[in-house]
Amino acid sequence: MATDLFQSPDYYNIDELLSEEHILVRNATRDWVKKDVSPVIEEYAQKAEFPQHVVKGLAEVGAFGPYIPEEYGGAGLDQISYGLMMQEIERGDSGIRSTCSVQSSLVMYPIYAYGNEEQRKKYLPKLASGEYLGSFGLTEPDFGSNPGGMVTNFKDKGDHYLLNGSKMWISNAPFCDVAVVWAKNEEGRIHGLVVERGMEGFTTPETHNKWSLRASSTGELVFDNVKVPKENLLPNKSGLGAPLGCLDSARYGIAWGALGAAMDCYDTALRYSKERVQFDRPIAGFQLQQKKLAEMITEITKAQLLVWRLGKLKNENRATSAQISMAKRNNVDMALKIAREARQMLGGMGITGEYPIMRHMMNLESVVTYEGTHDIHLLITGLDITGENAFK
Ligand code: TGC
Ligand code: FAD
């Protein structure tokens, strides 16, 4: 990839809404992405490999558990700092942000919020430092948008639980050290269990041939009579609301993250349009190209305000699940549209790995599907405003 010349757009002076700490956190993450992600990400995406070496840097910038209290190894930051980190990391690559979302919101958060003190002390510091990488098993081959139908189950065998079933499309599965797995007990109630690599009967085959999130590793979690110690059950919350509560936190981070991908596409297209000459003038001078750029910066600015306000609400514990759904849906859709337009603005060069746009565009095809599809989030808004459930 060409040198990372990224300059962040801030059309409405939104920096003025941020605290000194927010700006410090954002700039530190941005510098790290420029130094350690941008120079190598294209190569890893091309060879469909997760750049393992970024784990140390992600831990150092505080991207594993940004809002988890410091006593458990987290960074103890607020929700806007968490969002800004996700924005900067996804500006580098959605797959790297995925790793942070899973680690922070889908593994550390449930252990912190639903686990007991022993579980917090046992797992959280190792996850925060990157010594452990985690995965989150909710989706199954026959239950994606409808996770409540899951068939993965565990039985009480006196001194342990016996876990059977499988999970599909699991980020980081192939190399995770621990997995937070959602399964039904004998009464059909959903619980979270921490499954550790090395437990007999637990395997994590990799999913190959993805055209999207190629620098992120995806796989299955397979449980064949896995004996899970009783102390690995998360005791403080059960039911479908438990995994969905984790998704709220991850979806919030994705709403910020997608903004980062959109900013990178816009910034790349703007710079290219000023340099690329056709018919004896920079293409930035043609009205049709200006329409694309003007619409991009308008949508980016609206999306920035949406997540900033959501972050304020989240800091006050007032953000609703439906508000988070709206931001995830809007910002990912916005980013995907900008990626498609920006790619066209680069003409043939847009399809090459010389520029990040095509990689962002392909990544966003996963982001618009995982953590609740575009249509599922629309139905969540529909239910919230009408009171009518159109899912079933
Ligand atoms: P429903 O009857 O509506 O709800 C069941 C219970 O859950 C509660 N609830 C929530 N709680 C917290 N947060 C939320 N967002 C919640 N949404 C619902 C609800 O109040 C109820 O509680 P209770 O006490 O009454 O039992 O459930 P439903 O079966 O009708 O499904 C609703 C639906 C479709 C919205 C939901 O299941 C859904 O969101 N589906 C999408 C599935 C999804 O997002 N999967 C994501 C898998 S993880 C992933 O993709 C990781 S990608 C990782 C990466 O970044 O790489
Ligand atoms: P389906 O649920 O089969 O949906 C197919 C289509 O039907 C979609 O367009 C959907 O919107 C539509 N649809 C479904 N129900 C309705 C309805 N009621 N009304 C209208 N339309 C409907 N999951 C995890 O648990 N952990 C992970 O770490 C994880 N990582 C992922 C990484 C990647 C790269 C990908 C692609 C997925 C990942 N997922 C993960 C799974 C992801 O959350 C699911 O793919 C997603 O929830 C959609 O489920 P599905 O693929 O089974 O699609």
Side-chain angles (χ1 to χ4, degrees), residues 136-139 144-145 169-171 213 366 369-371 373 375-376 379 391:
F136 174 88
L138 181 65
T139 306
S145 297
W169 293 117
I170 307 304
S171 300
L213 287 190
S366 284
T369 291
Y370 68 31
E371 299 271 7
T373 67
D375 288 341
I376 289 293
L379 296 177
F391 289 108

Side-chain angles (χ1 to χ4, degrees), residues 203-220:
T203 50
T204 59
E206 186 161 4
T207 303
H208 295 287
N209 295 330
K210 289 181 299 165
W211 284 116
S212 174
L213 287 190
R214 287 172 63 81
S216 161
S217 183
T218 313
E220 295 167 51

